[in-house]
Amino acid sequence: MLPFSSGNVGPGGLQSAQEALSRLASALLHSERSCSTRPIGGRHRLSLQSSETLPRVMMAAAARLRVLRQHLHPDLKASPTSAEVSSYSSPGKFQYTLENSFLTLEQRRFYEDNGFLHVKDLVLDENLEIFREEFERICRKEVVVPGLTVMRDIAITKNENVADQQAVSKIQDFQNNEILFKYCCLPEILRYVECFTGPNIMAMHTMLINKPPDSGRKTSRHPLHQDLHYFAFRPADQIVCAWTAMERVDRNNGCLVVLPGTHKGRLKKHVYPDWLGGVNKMYHGIHDYDPSQPRLHLEMAKGDTVFFHPLLIHGSGTNQTCGFRKAISCHFASADCNYIDVKNTTQENIETEALEIGQQKYGIGKNVKLADIWCFKGRLVQGKRTNL
């Protein structure tokens, strides 16, 4: 998680950040390939061949690096946006969707009122199987992905006999994997995303979740949270998550649970919940929320996709089955968004934790900000990289 600071970056901070970026620059060579698909009805079958030659990839990588260095220039200042914001108010009848000819009036009204939209049967089974196979290859360590974060459930990691995908509860930041990133480029996904972000679309955060069977300690659940807590960019209304079920998801295997309408509120303070069985790394939960707020369990069929606002309060329950529950997701944002400084806000705790991980994993300097991380992670999927 890395973007740029809203204040000036001093010469020491610039130097250390640039040194870190130089060490990571090779990953960029793997990330600027086109997303090729072939239409099947209203959906698309993946084509796994890159359409770009190496020189074009290197030119695109260099362009991304220039964007990162521009954000770290000592004279560059971000817009004066506080992390303590409620949802951004856009002009017009609808606040949470842009004017478009794709969403129906009913869909726009539903998202306006509830903060999410469930679209059935959106992604082809065969594409989901391609993603599943690539995930399994990653778990077997047959594929090395630059910048990938592999997460393990705290209950599983203590069992030394668990191998391959059974030991992996989630992978994050697969933007440098040619196959998995094609999910972010599917036209059937982007048609919906553009209704929230506009035509210039960045993929900011990618995940493939492999929720394990619960050990009895309830560590497979995810506390109620708002995704905006992790993001150092705004406005919130130009960010949307696409979350696709890779198999049937219901209350038995830990489906998503949402609190409809909570996207209209403010970003709340998040901390680690005080759970008896412990909690997984970076699984922050809302410190104070109204427990009487109605909850809705989103049961989904394979290929169903839910799009939701980053302020929507949501989580997931325990997996009470013997199998692993898989889903793939991406947080998209308008390339016109602005990075912010989260210092002295409720997000400062996640910045501290993210930077500690970055220092251990990549050796990044202490002057790097949470925004710098997001700036490095973001990848353009449509239009122009205008700001992010």
Side-chain angles (χ1 to χ4, degrees), residues 66-126:
R66 283 196 299 272
V67 170
L68 300 180
R69 284 177 171 165
Q70 178 185 5
H71 283 313
L72 291 168
H73 193 280
D75 296 328
L76 185 64
K77 295 182 179 179
S79 60
T81 307
S82 167
E84 292 302 306
V85 297
S86 57
S87 195
Y88 172 78
S89 236
S90 58
K93 182 178 179 182
F94 291 98
Q95 176 176 338
Y96 303 104
T97 56
L98 302 175
E99 291 302 318
N100 67 89
S101 59
F102 181 69
L103 293 180
T104 67
L105 184 60
E106 182 181 11
Q107 287 175 321
R108 294 188 72 186
R109 284 174 175 166
F110 187 89
Y111 190 87
E112 187 80 10
D113 293 338
N114 298 283
F116 69 93
L117 184 65
H118 180 182
V119 181
K120 296 184 178 181
D121 196 27
L122 186 62
V123 179
L124 284 170
D125 285 2
E126 60 189 88

Side-chain angles (χ1 to χ4, degrees), residues 135-136 139-141 152 161-168 210:
F135 170 73
E136 292 173 355
C139 293
R140 293 194 299 268
K141 299 182 179 180
R152 292 171 171 82
N161 297 320
V162 175
D164 297 338
Q165 65 170 309
Q166 293 185 352
V168 178
N210 188 45

Side-chain angles (χ1 to χ4, degrees), residues 147-175:
L148 185 75
T149 299
V150 178
M151 302 183 69
R152 292 171 171 82
D153 189 279
I154 58 174
I156 294 177
T157 53
K158 295 180 180 179
N159 186 343
E160 297 180 357
N161 297 320
V162 175
D164 297 338
Q165 65 170 309
Q166 293 185 352
V168 178
S169 60
K170 180 192 295 186
I171 59 173
Q172 294 191 133
D173 309 318
F174 58 68
Q175 66 272 10

Side-chain angles (χ1 to χ4, degrees), residues 203-217:
M204 299 301 291
H205 184 228
T206 52
M207 294 190 297
L208 196 154
I209 303 142
N210 188 45
K211 184 186 280 284
D214 196 80
S215 64
R217 295 168 54 189

Side-chain angles (χ1 to χ4, degrees), residues 212-238:
D214 196 80
S215 64
R217 295 168 54 189
K218 298 183 178 181
T219 56
S220 66
R221 59 183 167 169
H222 198 300
L224 291 173
H225 64 284
Q226 297 165 298
D227 289 339
L228 195 66
H229 169 66
Y230 297 92
F231 301 152
F233 44 92
R234 300 291 190 274
D237 291 349
Q238 293 178 22

Side-chain angles (χ1 to χ4, degrees), residues 6-20:
S6 66
N8 289 333
V9 180
L14 175 64
Q15 182 179 2
S16 62
Q18 287 181 330
E19 289 173 354

